Amino acid sequence: MTERARWPIVEYALMLAVLASVVRMAMVFHANHYLPAPFVFDTNDTFMDWFNTAYWANRPGAYDVWRSIYPPLSFVFLDAASLSGCYRDSPFYARDCDWVGRSTIAALYLIDVILLWIAFRRNDRRTAIPRTVAFAVGLPLLYTLERGNLILAAFAPFIVAYGPITRSPLARAVANAVAINFKPYLVLAAFAHAIRREWRPLEYAGLATIALYLVTLALVGAGTPSEIVANTANWVKFQSGQVWAEIAYSTSYAPLLLVRDSQMPVLNFVPSRLIEGIEIAVPIVIRATQAVAALCLAAAWLQPGALDRSRLAAILLGSYFVTQSPGGYTQTFLLFLVFLERGRGIGPTIAIVCAYALSLVFEWPLSTIVEVPGTSWLGGTTVLPKLGLALGHFIRPGLIVAIVWALALDGLMQVVRAHRETRPSLGLAVA
């Protein structure tokens, strides 16, 4: 059996590992009545990102009172996808009252999964089933679903923009605009067009993004760039004090640098030498990963046709996620781009295996620091969730580092091979 024939078997085995982790998670939920780590520690705040945001979509003050960092599209969308009468009291009341919101969350999840299947099947029929199944029930998308995060709404247009869904430049541009207006950091992925000298698609995406922003800004009447910038600065300051919330499901090692200054008695559970080692190693890992990503992107500029758009977008997003964590659920975008790889060569193979590993719905606790009694919205009873250090806090950011290194080094080798056939291009036009 050739290596090409064996590879789908390996992916089916990895898919089964992901399914086994989901079964284990379901068993833990059945026993404890709440979703285990790294799901949201506040077990009573299921769908928190959706209903807390929808609460402000149905009343004034989203930017000057709640200090939102979401662009106006989020509030236009949630206003249309909610029952306004359910938001007169609180987001917690709305969670039980707003059946339109709950139905929309479920519908968006199903749409995302259907588009995943179409994209993966058109990309590579041999691996479409294991990749779709692992993605659909994997940790990043399930975590997004449990949070009710608007990534559920942004992911479908992202698939259209970067997957083999449509060949229409206009449709891709509009999809890119919608995704960016939901999650502004996705503008990084759009820069893949610039590296490939695809100026017309980049121009279309830029104009569509600005047009959509201006329309939604007019509809909401708030959410100007200055408001979002000021609120983002306030959010960064607030998040710096939420150390354990950041560490629980992070894409970056950066939050670990804040552990020593956290209010938790960490040194009672972790040797000080480990903390000192983290403080030395983390900046080195982050800077080295940024360097190899930048080197690959610079090399790709010299050979615009050497690397696919999805590969460049993965390196751009991955290097950002390594630098700082906008939330563990953002792995959804990165893993989709990785699963568009064909698995040819050591680099893509390593990246794909890491993507499956990141899909495991699993956590291995190392120590419990605090137990906080509360109510489980999903379980409908009082529970006692535990907060502490876990193996995933150290493994998951490392897997994202490995993805960036694997794709970047493989990309450098592809550029070197391209140099043998095509002269480097330094101009703005495609060679």
Side-chain angles (χ1 to χ4, degrees):
M1 186 180 295
T2 64
E3 181 180 351
R4 180 177 173 81
R6 285 196 301 266
W7 179 244
I9 298 177
V10 174
E11 293 211 26
Y12 273 98
L14 293 170
M15 178 200 74
L16 290 176
V18 174
L19 288 174
S21 72
V22 175
V23 172
R24 177 188 176 277
M25 181 269 293
M27 294 173 62
V28 172
F29 175 80
H30 179 73
N32 299 330
H33 306 293
Y34 69 92
L35 292 174
F39 287 96
V40 178
F41 181 68
D42 187 348
T43 57
N44 195 40
D45 213 5
T46 300
F47 300 144
M48 60 188 300
D49 291 353
W50 184 281
F51 287 100
N52 289 332
T53 308
Y55 177 79
W56 291 100
N58 285 276
R59 63 181 57 233
Y63 292 97
D64 55 353
V65 178
W66 193 44
R67 306 295 295 274
S68 174
I69 62 173
Y70 293 146
L73 175 61
S74 299
F75 297 99
V76 172
F77 175 77
L78 288 172
D79 183 38
S82 61
L83 295 175
S84 58
C86 293
Y87 294 87
R88 296 172 182 171
D89 187 8
S90 71
F92 289 97
Y93 171 77
R95 208 156 314 190
D96 297 311
C97 171
D98 188 4
W99 63 268
V100 172
R102 297 194 305 274
S103 299
T104 304
I105 291 173
L108 288 173
Y109 173 77
L110 291 176
I111 290 171
D112 290 343
V113 172
I114 291 170
L115 286 176
L116 281 171
W117 165 248
I118 295 173
F120 291 152
R121 189 169 184 273
R122 291 181 179 178
N123 188 62
D124 186 357
R125 291 188 176 215
R126 301 173 309 130
T127 59
I129 292 177
R131 294 185 185 188
T132 303
V133 172
F135 205 117
V137 299
L139 179 58
L141 195 57
L142 283 188
Y143 187 91
T144 302
L145 177 63
E146 193 258 350
R147 287 281 296 246
N149 193 273
L150 285 172
I151 285 177
L152 289 171
F155 191 44
F158 185 82
I159 296 173
V160 173
Y162 294 95
I165 301 295
T166 178
R167 295 182 179 178
S168 168
L170 182 59
R172 286 180 177 270
V174 172
N176 233 325
V178 174
I180 292 171
N181 270 275
F182 272 120
K183 299 295 176 181
Y185 53 79
L186 293 179
V187 71
L188 289 171
F191 288 140
H193 289 295
I195 296 172
R196 288 173 54 86
R197 314 304 202 338
E198 296 171 342
W199 303 117
R200 189 61 60 84
L202 183 62
E203 179 183 357
Y204 287 161
L207 291 174
T209 299
I210 295 172
L212 181 59
Y213 169 72
L214 292 176
V215 169
T216 54
L217 176 64
L219 291 173
V220 174
T224 63
S226 60
E227 288 177 311
I228 293 176
V229 169
N231 290 350
T232 300
N234 179 73
W235 179 82
V236 170
K237 182 179 179 180
F238 172 77
Q239 287 297 108
S240 64
Q242 306 295 313
V243 177
W244 288 99
E246 289 291 289
I247 291 175
Y249 191 27
S250 176
T251 65
S252 172
Y253 282 124
L256 291 176
L257 296 174
L258 305 175
V259 167
R260 187 187 293 274
D261 296 328
S262 69
Q263 296 179 353
M264 296 289 184
V266 180
L267 295 179
N268 292 342
F269 303 90
V270 180
S272 60
R273 285 180 297 178
L274 176 60
I275 301 299
E276 293 169 358
I278 289 173
E279 292 171 341
I280 294 173
V282 166
I284 296 174
V285 170
I286 292 176
R287 295 293 178 262
T289 306
Q290 291 172 333
V292 73
L295 182 61
C296 177
L297 296 172
W301 169 263
L302 300 177
Q303 291 288 349
L307 300 183
D308 293 337
R309 185 186 309 111
S310 58
R311 168 73 68 86
L312 293 171
I315 294 172
L316 285 161
L317 280 179
S319 58
Y320 168 63
F321 293 161
V322 167
T323 303
Q324 65 180 55
S325 177
Y329 35 51
T330 57
Q331 296 174 41
T332 304
F333 302 110
L334 178 61
L335 266 56
F336 170 69
L337 296 171
V338 172
F339 277 144
L340 291 178
E341 297 283 341
R342 294 298 185 92
R344 297 171 182 171
I346 296 176
T349 300
I350 291 174
I352 291 168
V353 172
C354 289
Y356 275 104
L358 287 167
S359 300
L360 293 171
V361 189
F362 181 75
E363 189 62 279
W364 188 282
L366 298 176
S367 64
T368 298
I369 294 178
V370 65
E371 293 179 312
V372 180
T375 302
S376 171
W377 186 82
L378 287 174
T381 186
T382 301
V383 294
L384 189 64
K386 300 177 181 179
L387 176 66
L389 285 175
L391 191 61
H393 300 167
F394 304 97
I395 297 297
R396 292 192 186 94
L399 291 173
I400 295 179
V401 168
I403 286 174
V404 176
W405 276 84
L407 295 181
L409 291 177
D410 180 79
L412 285 169
M413 289 189 289
Q414 289 192 43
V415 171
V416 170
R417 287 194 291 267
H419 282 326
R420 298 171 184 172
E421 301 178 1
T422 307
R423 295 179 59 185
S425 173
L426 296 174
L428 295 178
V430 177

